[in-house]
């Protein structure tokens, strides 16, 4: 059932076990309860996520036709498409230079597959994380040119590669930059810089600043095909179906935690349909390795497929992801998928060790707005994941820096909503505190001299203190609906699926349920709290709080005994592990009901 939204406070809870108020995601005024049918759950969810009434139909079934912008609104897009079209017609060799994460791998794979379909000699270059670091280097670009490719397209990197692009230009190598990271006031001397986060973008293009790099690459692909079509290129041959590459776009978008609103939501919605067909041999092999037997969801991309592709760049060979996503050989695909699966297990072990040390080190900055920790010998391939874990536990921006034997620190940061970490890192670079750095609002990377770590911490704390305080002060748990305990069911999970896909910026519905009593409690896996609870209506279900057994919430619930009653809040998820479908609550908070 959906609760009455006449008050902002949900269930009267002003302070939960985690010390936060529970608020309705939308009030009765937002929901238009006087005209809204009470059983139209999807409409309620869409309105609660900011969709206006006249936009409901478009958002109910997001399509490319309904959301895709004209690629030409982006600066340099037409120039980039024209130059690549020239190369296509001349069958000129092109190299796609990608980042080593999922967004970089999918962006590179998309352009490689598209250009192969156009019979262009194309290759991919992915730098080694440990030996070469992030982004293009002048040496790498010159080497690519000497090998015969005088046109390089960088994807998911390049926005800050001033020296490298200048060196390539001097050597006669043309570079097109396709990126989404924040730009400085000046741009590299590339042939074209296609990036919705350019500071000189017009408002209609800048409005797509939440695109992952793979989304920008998809638009470049559309612009390229349009250019070739206008030149009559397809009068003598079939035009590649760009839509068939949407599985790559969906994977990169979700894995890069891009906001699943507007055009991104359409890309992922349609991409999931393409992925379900298993037309990409490499992706199909990876789904088999991850034991995904049903059509994948956005959650599967974020937690099963993405981490495995990332594992190659983090602790293995950086080009494994691109090779997997572009191969046409089933045996090669199976072999690479198995290797990525093995590397992902190795990554988990390394991550756990670094996380333990990072948590211990964070005690020294317990009261700082930004948790900046560093350690000698930490594996740079896992620092981004550890930064994310640290942010989740500390509820503030976190930066984790691995310092090598030469005193050079490679860092990765993750932020909280309302705190633009990428802009702060760019400002630190411009202030001379960093060797290199950049990113976007929620994530950033950097290179720093270990001697400047204290100064960097002071700079970031001073710059972000007010934003962190404001974001923390506004923290509350937003509730979409209240369900009776019996309502935590597979039917509820099925009913809300059509309002998805869910992810960053388009959160899955959060429900409150209760009052319930804890029947069983315990710790499972790595720091996961597991509960069996029962309600007064006879409803009984499982709840699990991931990585929370040692937290205040976990310890409180583990030691709750007797008939004390609780309200629980979290996301209801379908559980297909048993002999028949069930539902469980992924617990985020709790409050006393007595």
């Amino acid at each position: 059932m959906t609760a009455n939204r006449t008050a902002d406070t949900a269930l009267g809870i002003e302070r939960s076990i985690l010390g936060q108020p529970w608020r309705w995601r939308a009030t009765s005024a937002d929901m238009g309860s006087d005209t809204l049918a009470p059983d139209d759950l999807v409409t309620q969810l869409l309105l609660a996520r900011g969709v206006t009434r006249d936009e409901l139909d478009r958002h109910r079934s997001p399509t490319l036709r309904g959301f895709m912008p004209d690629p030409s609104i982006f600066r340099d897009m037409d120039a980039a498409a024209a130059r690549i079209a020239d190369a296509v017609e001349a069958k000129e060799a092109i190299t796609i230079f990608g980042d080593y994460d999922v967004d970089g791998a999918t962006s590179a794979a998309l352009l490689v597959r598209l250009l192969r379909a156009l019979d262009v000699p194309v290759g991919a270059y992915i730098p080694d994380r440990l030996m070469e670091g992030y982004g293009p280097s002048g040496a790498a670009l010159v080497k690519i040119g000497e090998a015969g490719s005088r046109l390089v397209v960088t994807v998911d990197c390049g926005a800050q590669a001033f020296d490298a692009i200048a060196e390539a230009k001097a050597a006669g190598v043309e570079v097109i930059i396709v990126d989404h990271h924040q730009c400085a006031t000046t741009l590299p001397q590339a042939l074209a810089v296609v990036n919705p986060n350019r500071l000189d973008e017009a408002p209609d293009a800048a409005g797509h600043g939440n695109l992952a790099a793979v989304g920008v690459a998809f638009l470049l692909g559309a612009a390229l095909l349009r250019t070739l079509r206008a030149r009559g290129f397809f009068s003598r041959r079939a035009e590649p179906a760009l839509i068939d590459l949407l599985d790559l776009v969906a994977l990169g978008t979700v894995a890069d935690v891009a906001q699943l609103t507007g055009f991104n939501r359409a890309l992922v919605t349609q991409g999931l349909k393409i992925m379900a067909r298993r037309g990409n041999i490499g992706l199909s092999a990876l789904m088999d390795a991850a034991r995904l037997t049903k059509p994948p969801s956005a959650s599967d991309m974020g937690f099963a497929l993405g981490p495995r592709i990332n594992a190659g760049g983090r602790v293995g060979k950086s080009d494994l992801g691109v090779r997997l996503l572009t191969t046409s050989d089933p045996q090669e695909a199976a072999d690479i998928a198995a290797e990525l699966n093995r590397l992902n297990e190795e990554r988990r072990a390394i991550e756990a060790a670094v996380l333990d040390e990072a948590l211990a080190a964070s005690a020294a900055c317990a009261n700082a707005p930004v948790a900046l920790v560093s350690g000698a010998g930490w594996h740079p391939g896992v620092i981004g994941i550890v930064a994310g874990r640290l942010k989740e536990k500390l509820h503030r921006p976190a930066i984790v820096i691995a310092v090598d034997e030469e005193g050079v620190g490679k860092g990765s940061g993750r932020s909280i909503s309302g705190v633009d970490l990428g802009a702060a890192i760019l400002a630190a670079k411009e202030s001379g505190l960093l060797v290199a750095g950049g990113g976007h609002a929620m994530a950033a990377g950097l290179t720093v001299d270990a001697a400047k770590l204290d100064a960097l911490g002071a700079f970031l704390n001073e710059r972000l203190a007010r934003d962190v305080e404001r974001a923390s002060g506004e923290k509350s748990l937003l509730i979409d609906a209240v369900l009776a305990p019996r309502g935590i069911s597979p039917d509820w999970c099925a009913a809300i699926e059509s309002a998805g896909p869910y992810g960053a910026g388009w959160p899955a519905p959060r429900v409150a349920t209760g009052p319930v009593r804890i029947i069983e409690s315990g710790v499972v896996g790595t720091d996961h709290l597991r509960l069996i609870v029962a309600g007064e209506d006879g409803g009984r279900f499982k709840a699990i709080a991931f990585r929370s057994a040692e937290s205040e919430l976990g310890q409180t619930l583990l030691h709750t005994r007797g008939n004390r009653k609780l309200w629980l809040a979290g996301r209801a998820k379908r559980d297909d592990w048993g002999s028949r479908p069930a539902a469980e609550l992924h617990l985020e908070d709790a409050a006393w009901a007595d």
Side-chain angles (χ1 to χ4, degrees):
M1 69 178 188
T2 302
N4 187 330
R5 289 175 165 78
T6 57
D8 182 50
T9 302
L11 300 170
I13 296 170
E14 289 289 354
R15 186 174 179 81
S16 67
I17 289 177
L18 289 180
Q20 60 187 339
W22 292 5
R23 309 289 190 207
W24 295 120
R25 193 179 301 276
T27 64
S28 57
D30 297 324
M31 303 302 286
S33 57
D34 55 334
T35 59
L36 182 66
D39 58 346
D40 192 351
L41 178 61
V42 172
T43 295
Q44 293 186 21
L45 294 175
L46 294 176
L47 290 171
R49 279 147 187 76
V51 177
T52 59
R53 286 189 170 279
D54 58 350
E55 288 281 295
L56 281 173
D57 288 342
R58 190 164 74 112
H59 285 266
R60 200 180 298 273
S61 299
T63 63
L64 293 187
R65 182 183 295 275
F67 285 92
M68 184 167 170
D70 181 348
S72 294
I73 68 174
F74 298 92
R75 290 189 181 274
D76 287 359
M77 180 69 84
D78 290 340
R83 176 64 184 90
I84 299 174
D86 292 343
V88 171
E89 291 183 315
K91 295 191 182 300
E92 177 185 351
I94 301 175
T95 295
I96 311 301
F97 191 111
D99 188 18
Y100 34 63
D101 68 359
V102 183
D103 193 16
T106 52
S107 300
L110 183 149
L111 292 181
V112 167
R113 293 177 71 92
L114 178 60
L115 291 170
R116 279 182 183 171
L118 294 168
D119 294 330
V120 176
V122 59
Y125 186 102
I126 309 295
D128 183 272
R129 180 188 291 265
L130 298 180
M131 302 300 294
E132 298 178 84
Y134 168 79
S137 66
L141 294 176
V142 171
K143 180 181 178 181
I144 290 170
E146 291 174 346
S149 179
R150 311 300 291 182
L151 177 60
V152 177
V153 182
T154 73
V155 288
D156 198 27
C157 57
Q160 298 294 324
F162 294 92
D163 293 342
I165 303 302
E167 188 173 344
K169 183 177 181 180
V173 177
E174 293 181 290
V175 179
I176 293 171
I177 296 172
V178 179
D179 204 353
H180 69 133
H181 294 99
Q182 291 182 346
C183 294
T185 52
T186 58
L187 297 171
Q189 301 175 35
L191 185 150
V193 179
V194 184
N195 186 336
N197 287 305
R198 286 176 55 154
L199 297 182
D200 59 347
E201 275 292 11
D204 54 349
H208 292 280
N210 63 355
L211 282 172
V214 71
V216 184
F218 178 81
L219 289 171
L220 175 59
L224 170 62
L225 294 180
R226 182 174 62 183
T227 301
L228 290 170
R229 195 181 309 123
R231 295 182 182 185
F233 184 79
F234 298 116
S235 62
R236 55 189 183 274
R237 60 177 298 150
E239 181 174 333
L242 185 62
I243 195 170
D244 288 346
L245 301 177
L246 280 175
D247 49 3
L248 298 173
V249 183
L251 177 57
T253 298
V254 171
D256 213 51
V257 201
Q259 299 285 299
L260 296 191
T261 57
F263 183 38
N264 275 345
R265 187 161 169 261
L267 289 171
V268 174
T269 298
Q270 302 306 320
L272 283 168
K273 297 176 183 178
I274 300 297
M275 192 178 293
R277 301 176 190 170
R278 288 186 171 237
N280 185 303
I281 291 173
L283 266 180
S284 180
L286 194 65
M287 285 186 266
D288 289 341
R291 299 181 180 178
L292 297 179
T293 58
K294 295 184 177 181
S297 65
S299 178
D300 291 328
M301 289 191 289
F303 294 101
L305 302 179
R308 285 171 167 79
I309 291 178
N310 254 336
R314 293 188 186 281
V315 297
K317 295 180 180 179
S318 59
D319 66 345
L320 285 176
V322 170
R323 286 173 52 200
L324 175 76
L325 299 174
T326 57
T327 186
S328 57
D329 182 344
Q331 186 58 55
E332 181 184 27
D335 292 343
I336 295 176
E339 175 67 1
L340 288 172
N341 203 46
R342 184 192 67 78
L343 289 171
N344 192 48
E345 293 300 319
E346 181 180 334
R347 185 270 306 168
R348 287 178 177 174
I350 296 171
E351 173 197 329
V354 175
L355 178 59
D356 286 344
E357 294 184 27
L359 283 169
S362 68
C365 53
N367 298 318
V370 178
L372 189 151
V373 298
S374 62
W378 288 354
H379 196 300
V382 301
I383 54 177
I385 303 175
V386 172
R389 300 277 190 251
L390 211 59
K391 178 204 73 172
E392 292 172 4
K393 288 182 176 291
L394 303 179
H395 307 293
R396 52 196 167 105
I399 299 174
V400 179
I401 299 173
V403 180
D404 65 19
E405 295 177 351
E406 298 178 356
V408 176
K410 299 287 186 179
S412 187
R414 298 293 183 268
S415 194
I416 59 177
S417 296
V419 181
D420 191 337
L421 185 59
I425 292 298
L426 199 56
K429 178 188 174 186
E430 293 173 348
S431 298
L433 291 171
L434 299 176
V435 176
H440 46 81
M442 299 300 289
L446 59 89
T447 302
V448 60
D449 187 325
K452 294 184 178 181
L453 284 175
D454 290 342
L456 174 63
F459 177 91
L460 294 175
N461 283 327
E462 181 178 357
R463 180 182 176 92
L464 297 177
R466 184 172 298 177
D467 289 342
V468 173
E469 182 180 6
R470 184 185 303 113
S472 300
E474 295 173 352
K475 181 186 176 186
S476 58
L477 197 71
L478 300 181
I479 304 294
D480 288 282
V482 174
L483 300 179
R486 280 185 179 273
I488 306 296
S489 66
D491 289 342
W492 163 265
C493 297
I496 63 175
E497 278 306 306
S498 58
Y502 301 108
W506 196 266
R510 182 182 289 118
V511 301
T513 184
V516 297
R517 292 180 295 107
I518 297 176
I519 305 301
E520 297 178 17
S521 63
V523 179
V524 296
T526 305
D527 194 34
H528 306 319
L529 170 69
R530 180 180 180 274
L531 304 174
I532 302 295
V533 301
E536 296 174 340
D537 63 349
R540 185 184 177 111
F541 61 87
K542 178 175 69 176
I544 185 164
F546 295 103
R547 297 186 295 274
S548 298
E550 296 299 323
S551 69
E552 180 182 1
L553 175 65
Q555 288 298 301
T556 299
L557 296 181
L558 277 171
H559 294 92
T560 296
R561 295 289 185 271
N563 293 318
R564 291 215 67 178
K565 297 177 182 178
L566 293 151
W567 290 104
L568 304 181
R571 323 274 188 177
K573 300 288 185 178
R574 186 181 176 94
D575 179 8
D576 291 315
W577 284 105
S579 58
R580 60 180 181 176
E584 64 185 21
L585 186 70
H586 290 188
L587 188 63
E588 296 175 83
D589 200 0
W592 301 115
D594 51 17

